[in-house]
Amino acid sequence: MVLQRIMIAGLVALIVACVYRAPAPVVIPLSERPVGYLADVAPVLEARCVVCHSCYNAPCQLKLSSFEGLDRGGSKIPVYSGARLDDQAPTRLFTDARTTREWRAKGFHAVSKNTAAAGSDDSILMTLLDAKRRHPELSGTYHAEAEDLTCASDRDELAEFLAKHPDRGMPFGFPGISEYELETIGSWLQQGGAGPSPEQQARLTEPSRVAASEIEKWEAFLNHEDAKHAITARYLYEHFFLAHVNFKRVGPGEFYELVRSTTPSGQGVVPIPSVRPYDDPGVGRFYYRFRKIHSTIVHKTHIVVEFDDRTLARFRELFIDTPWLESSHGEVLDAETEANPFLVFAQIRPVSRYRFMLDHSEYFLRTFIRGPVCKGQIALNVVNDHFWVMFMDPAADASVTHPDFLTSQAANLRMPTELGSDGMLLETFTDEYRELYSRFYRAKTALYGRVTPEGLGLDAIWKGRRASDAPVLTIYRHFDSASVHKGVLGALPRTLWVVDYPQLERIYYNLVAGFDVFGNITHQVNVRRYMDFLRIEGEANFLNFLPKEERVPTLESWYVGHKALDNANAEAVLTERDTQMVYRTDSPKREFIERVVDEHILQSTGIAFDEINYLRADDPQPVMPEKFETHADFMSGLRALTVSGTGFIRHITASEANLALVRVRNFEGSDHLMSIVVNRWHDNVNSMFRETSRLDPSKDAIEFHHGSIGSYPNAFIDLEGSDLPDFFDLLANFDGSAAYQAKYERYFISRSDPRFWSVYDWFQQRFANADPLESGLYDLNRYMSEPHGLPNSGQLADDSARTRN
């Protein structure tokens, strides 16, 4: 039988070789100068390739953000697979293998290997780049994660693919790279395709002098051998393992990751490849180390934390100088217990843990969105398109002021991540964690009933401690990507959250520390289901500040067609506990958030309602001006476009039309960058299935923001300042007619537009100049799929089925 299969496989290969003849090697003019990877090739890859090849969702897992990724090559095994019954081995670059040979053993194939004669190249990389040069035309639609992409491991497979899809060379679905760029890569491969020299690699990976002195200080703190420092270091590592740490003395541009290593300070970092940060490291002594990040920084995974002496002093204050609830210890626990931070860190006072998380509130919410899945997909169809998040003040959080409460509730605070990455399929349908959650929520409600029977007032909302704090945050969902922003951006959202300590910690351990992107369907579904409970808890926390008679109607308005009270515990929502808030208007939700922003939070945080999108109750309804002669006229025009159901979004309902970056040239003396955000209306987000049945395009709305929003632009728009009235007309009155189609094609840059790369370069450079600390490369995996013209109206259903895990 085995021999028969081998013969059949050989016959198939022979037929394929005959039918699909391998492309001829690409002829490359030999360069007379040496071509280096760092000086010549890396800039081309960064400018034209990393925009799609940088994370788990990179086609074929081909990461081109470093030489190590290019050398590793591609894989036929997709990372995103929401239907797999078994988990799969992780393939994290720089972690799960250290040599090319080890990656080949894991199924990765070379893409830059050249076996052709001098003056030509037959590598997969050059063949695909040359295919675009030979067939630059674009047709059909282009989705970087489409199932009909190739992950060809050899020239025969590539020949078969290109014979069927000759127009699918690289860059996939975009204009080709320039002849100079093509020749640069080809010449480098002709000269051997060597990576950085040892001296260059050392400069890439070794800390600068100033950073080295900072690292020495921080590693001494984290690796102090007493038990109190050890458990503190573990807590900090489990919460910062995704951070891009910037030492403020060093300045922007140099970032580090905190890892567990088998080697001590002063030696090369050898990371421990555990799947989760709380997994047993499997070694005796290990050390917390800082490893320099030398891959190209991409915005979708760039979650920055700044460290300096004040940060270190704050950690000492919270965790070392503050007495603990019990003598410090660091005993080894079983795997399920390790997944429960309320048990593992019970010895640390909850108030210290919560104040630490509040100090970094923006970072932690960003980890939910940009975390281990690159695009936050597991966390997205569980939330609305736009909402604001506030936090309970530590002095008002009863679970913090009564620390024995969390210890007594530790069993009810268990999360499905304790099952690991490979749970049994039957565990997908269990209601065990729903019941555990319900027990905890009922207990928490009873605690507040005893501690504050009169309810909570404005002082229960955390106001911030420093100017850099983010006591209120905005979350935008852009269908299958999302972004987090300090402050209250946009119009008044439907839903608001108030997050307390146990909720914040559970969201983090459910979606970030405990989530495995390589896990099976049981793991992914259970994480998503549990997040439903946590979302409603944040909403219910907010509702408790409203008048009692407003709570249930408000909740029901957020869950049209769904009985949210089943998940929210009706007895908790319908509690007789009062609120200390005294309202003066008949719009308590609006009044509450306006009092929080206008009167309560620290003014030094700079948080205020934005001038374009937020309308107060007594503001006049915006009207499109007849003339555009002053700055005020243009601001009025933008405000008028924020009304729900404007022409453009009424007709364009595709999932890929949610986020656009706009360049306005020569407006008031300079070029301006703005973002257009489309917020899609969901009747409710309480189910992971049939999302499109709960959408209502007539209630979708546009928002406008100065600067750059998001990591995944769906469109670039380029226009002159003098074109703004015409552009406003397009957005307000688009009706699908030929005249408006022509306007669309004039301003929107399609993926086939010859100007595409120059337009992209401007946006990328503008972003980098405006924010050198937080910026990174945009990702183009979500760019409009149509090579010409408008995205297909009604495309949302197809896209939802295609992209949703």
Side-chain angles (χ1 to χ4, degrees):
M1 181 65 72
V2 174
L3 180 60
Q4 184 180 17
R5 289 177 179 173
I6 293 175
M7 293 176 63
I8 293 174
L11 180 61
V12 170
L14 179 62
I15 294 173
V16 169
C18 293
V19 175
Y20 302 110
R21 188 173 59 185
V26 182
V27 176
I28 302 295
L30 294 176
S31 174
E32 297 181 358
R33 66 178 180 87
V35 179
Y37 176 79
L38 288 182
D40 303 300
V41 176
V44 177
L45 297 179
E46 290 178 358
R48 300 294 177 258
C49 306
V50 176
V51 289
C52 289
H53 289 275
S54 64
C55 198
Y56 298 133
N57 62 329
C60 311
Q61 294 194 58
L62 177 60
K63 294 183 66 173
L64 298 176
S65 50
S66 67
F67 175 77
E68 291 87 343
L70 173 59
D71 184 63
R72 177 178 76 163
S75 170
K76 294 179 180 295
I77 303 173
V79 173
Y80 292 118
S81 177
R84 59 175 167 246
L85 299 180
D86 298 309
D87 64 340
Q88 67 188 48
T91 51
R92 297 162 295 177
L93 190 62
F94 304 115
T95 299
D96 296 312
R98 302 186 67 192
T99 66
T100 305
R101 176 177 294 182
E102 290 175 353
W103 284 121
R104 296 292 173 265
K106 291 179 178 290
F108 281 77
H109 56 264
V111 298
S112 57
K113 182 179 179 180
N114 178 28
T115 62
S120 59
D121 191 291
D122 64 357
S123 68
I124 291 175
L125 174 63
M126 281 302 299
T127 302
L128 284 169
L129 291 173
D130 183 63
K132 174 54 64 74
R133 176 172 63 174
R134 290 184 293 107
H135 296 280
E137 67 280 359
L138 301 181
S139 61
T141 58
Y142 291 84
H143 301 283
E145 295 169 29
E147 294 180 356
D148 56 351
L149 289 178
T150 180
C151 290
S153 60
D154 57 42
R155 288 180 55 75
D156 290 335
E157 291 181 355
L158 186 57
E160 180 180 0
F161 175 78
L162 290 178
K164 296 178 180 178
H165 308 286
D167 62 340
R168 300 214 166 183
M170 295 294 161
F172 179 66
F174 291 107
I177 62 177
S178 69
E179 284 295 314
Y180 175 79
E181 293 167 331
L182 187 69
E183 291 178 7
T184 296
I185 295 176
S187 296
W188 172 68
L189 290 172
Q190 283 287 298
Q191 296 172 14
S197 68
E199 294 77 17
Q200 290 173 326
Q201 189 70 11
R203 287 196 296 271
L204 283 175
T205 59
E206 293 179 2
S208 63
R209 181 183 57 82
V210 176
S213 66
E214 292 291 295
I215 289 171
E216 181 180 8
K217 177 169 47 184
W218 277 90
E219 288 186 356
F221 171 74
L222 293 169
N223 294 303
H224 204 285
E225 293 191 2
D226 70 280
K228 197 169 191 180
H229 278 82
I231 196 69
T232 295
R234 172 174 176 171
Y235 186 78
L236 294 177
Y237 167 68
E238 290 187 13
H239 288 76
F240 283 144
F241 78 101
L242 281 182
H244 285 186
V245 176
N246 174 254
F247 297 105
K248 294 183 74 171
R249 284 185 57 208
V250 177
E254 194 169 330
F255 300 97
Y256 294 82
E257 58 181 335
L258 182 60
V259 301
R260 296 190 295 188
S261 173
T262 58
T263 53
S265 299
Q267 298 182 20
V269 174
V270 180
I272 295 171
S274 59
V275 173
R276 295 174 175 82
Y278 52 74
D279 286 346
D280 185 346
V283 298
R285 183 76 166 96
F286 66 88
Y287 306 87
Y288 295 103
R289 303 288 307 281
F290 288 92
R291 180 169 65 168
K292 189 176 181 181
I293 299 170
H294 68 276
S295 297
T296 303
I297 296 296
V298 293
H299 187 251
K300 63 183 177 182
T301 58
H302 190 44
I303 320 173
V304 179
V305 171
E306 293 184 280
F307 280 6
D308 60 10
D309 287 344
R310 286 183 296 181
T311 312
L312 186 56
R314 177 66 167 171
F315 292 169
R316 287 197 174 103
E317 172 195 351
L318 292 175
F319 298 112
I320 304 301
D321 299 338
T322 299
W324 286 11
L325 296 176
E326 53 189 85
S327 59
S328 55
H329 53 80
E331 75 270 20
V332 178
L333 304 170
D334 61 78
E336 288 190 1
T337 304
E338 296 278 20
N340 189 335
F342 302 101
L343 283 176
V344 174
F345 303 109
Q347 55 203 295
I348 305 176
R349 290 185 178 276
V351 67
S352 293
R353 290 178 263 159
Y354 189 31
R355 289 191 183 279
F356 157 76
M357 296 191 80
L358 290 177
D359 285 351
H360 303 279
S361 61
E362 189 169 8
Y363 162 79
F364 283 111
L365 264 69
R366 282 181 172 169
T367 64
F368 310 159
I369 300 303
R370 302 187 198 172
V373 295
C374 298
K375 56 184 180 180
Q377 198 157 328
I378 198 69
L380 290 187
N381 74 349
V382 73
V383 297
N384 280 289
D385 267 33
H386 176 219
F387 59 99
W388 293 337
V389 178
M390 297 163 280
F391 302 90
M392 287 286 290
D393 189 89
D397 187 335
S399 66
V400 168
T401 58
H402 294 71
D404 57 325
F405 172 73
L406 291 178
T407 304
S408 68
Q409 288 293 316
N412 290 330
L413 290 166
R414 289 163 45 208
M415 291 167 277
T417 48
E418 69 181 3
L419 300 173
S421 305
D422 198 24
M424 294 184 297
L425 188 60
L426 288 177
E427 292 173 327
T428 305
F429 308 102
T430 180
D431 281 333
E432 176 185 4
Y433 294 99
R434 178 198 295 269
E435 181 56 34
L436 291 175
Y437 169 82
S438 296
R439 292 176 192 168
F440 168 75
Y441 195 79
R442 287 193 292 268
K444 188 180 81 166
T445 301
L447 174 65
Y448 275 95
R450 294 192 302 271
V451 175
T452 56
E454 70 282 6
L456 300 171
L458 203 60
D459 287 342
I461 299 296
W462 180 58
K463 64 173 60 180
R465 184 176 64 90
R466 311 157 298 176
S468 58
D469 284 338
V472 187
L473 288 155
T474 297
I475 296 182
Y476 282 118
R477 175 190 170 193
H478 315 296
F479 186 64
D480 50 12
S481 69
S483 56
V484 179
H485 309 273
K486 177 179 176 178
V488 282
L489 276 63
L492 180 68
R494 290 174 66 200
T495 63
L496 296 93
W497 295 15
V498 173
V499 174
D500 58 22
Y501 168 63
Q503 184 191 7
L504 185 59
E505 196 80 271
R506 281 177 295 159
I507 295 177
Y508 179 77
Y509 272 83
N510 184 56
L511 291 180
V512 184
F515 179 71
D516 179 14
V517 70
F518 300 95
N520 70 350
I521 183 174
T522 298
H523 171 69
Q524 297 191 36
V525 169
N526 281 336
V527 165
R528 167 60 173 80
R529 290 183 67 197
Y530 195 78
M531 187 58 204
D532 270 331
F533 313 149
L534 296 175
R535 179 195 66 248
I536 296 177
E537 183 174 355
E539 294 167 343
N541 288 345
F542 166 72
L543 291 174
N544 280 325
F545 287 90
L546 299 185
K548 288 184 293 184
E549 65 274 12
E550 294 281 346
R551 295 171 190 170
V552 172
T554 300
L555 184 67
E556 290 177 338
S557 73
W558 298 343
Y559 291 89
V560 178
H562 194 281
K563 295 181 179 179
L565 292 178
D566 292 344
N567 280 359
N569 292 281
E571 63 270 32
V573 175
L574 297 173
T575 178
E576 289 301 313
R577 184 160 53 95
D578 288 322
T579 174
Q580 291 189 40
M581 298 292 298
V582 177
Y583 291 97
R584 299 183 289 269
T585 70
D586 58 0
S587 300
K589 182 179 80 169
R590 175 186 294 277
E591 183 178 343
F592 179 82
I593 190 61
E594 289 184 354
R595 290 173 65 181
V596 167
V597 174
D598 295 340
E599 305 170 13
H600 182 63
I601 59 176
L602 291 181
Q603 289 186 346
S604 61
T605 62
I607 293 175
F609 297 107
D610 78 69
E611 60 179 352
I612 299 175
N613 305 288
Y614 191 82
L615 296 177
R616 295 180 183 267
D618 55 353
D619 286 342
Q621 189 72 8
V623 177
M624 186 67 67
E626 295 181 0
K627 297 181 179 179
F628 293 87
E629 298 175 345
T630 66
H631 178 80
D633 292 337
F634 287 103
M635 293 297 293
S636 296
L638 290 173
R639 292 191 189 100
L641 290 169
T642 62
V643 177
S644 296
T646 55
F648 187 76
I649 56 174
R650 190 170 63 248
H651 283 79
I652 308 304
T653 59
S655 65
E656 59 191 44
N658 294 289
L659 179 63
L661 301 182
V662 185
R663 179 184 185 180
V664 184
R665 299 171 182 258
N666 304 310
F667 179 66
E668 298 182 337
S670 62
D671 287 4
H672 288 257
L673 168 60
M674 294 194 71
S675 298
I676 298 178
V677 177
V678 177
N679 293 324
R680 302 290 179 189
W681 174 280
H682 294 73
D683 287 341
N684 70 77
V685 291
N686 212 40
S687 173
M688 69 183 78
F689 304 112
R690 301 184 68 243
E691 179 177 10
T692 55
S693 68
R694 301 188 300 278
L695 298 174
D696 186 347
S698 69
K699 298 179 181 178
D700 294 347
I702 289 181
E703 294 185 351
F704 299 87
H705 297 282
H706 299 292
S708 179
I709 296 285
S711 306
Y712 292 84
N714 299 139
F716 296 132
I717 298 171
D718 195 342
L719 66 152
E720 294 287 337
S722 57
D723 292 326
L724 277 171
D726 190 53
F727 181 65
F728 287 174
D729 175 64
L730 164 67
L731 296 181
N733 301 310
F734 181 89
D735 58 6
S737 65
Y740 280 103
Q741 293 266 6
K743 289 189 179 188
Y744 172 89
E745 293 177 5
R746 177 182 178 187
Y747 301 124
F748 283 72
I749 305 299
S750 71
R751 57 169 55 239
S752 62
D753 194 309
R755 300 171 296 164
F756 180 86
W757 288 119
S758 62
V759 171
Y760 159 79
D761 288 341
W762 183 87
F763 283 104
Q764 191 65 71
Q765 190 60 52
R766 183 63 173 256
F767 187 24
N769 293 341
D771 196 348
L773 179 67
E774 297 281 356
S775 64
L777 294 187
Y778 294 119
D779 191 290
L780 298 181
N781 277 294
R782 299 289 178 271
Y783 204 79
M784 294 184 300
S785 65
E786 297 289 334
H788 307 282
L790 290 158
N792 291 327
S793 181
Q795 187 178 324
L796 197 60
D798 292 339
D799 285 355
S800 180
R802 174 178 51 79
T803 63
R804 186 64 50 212
N805 273 345

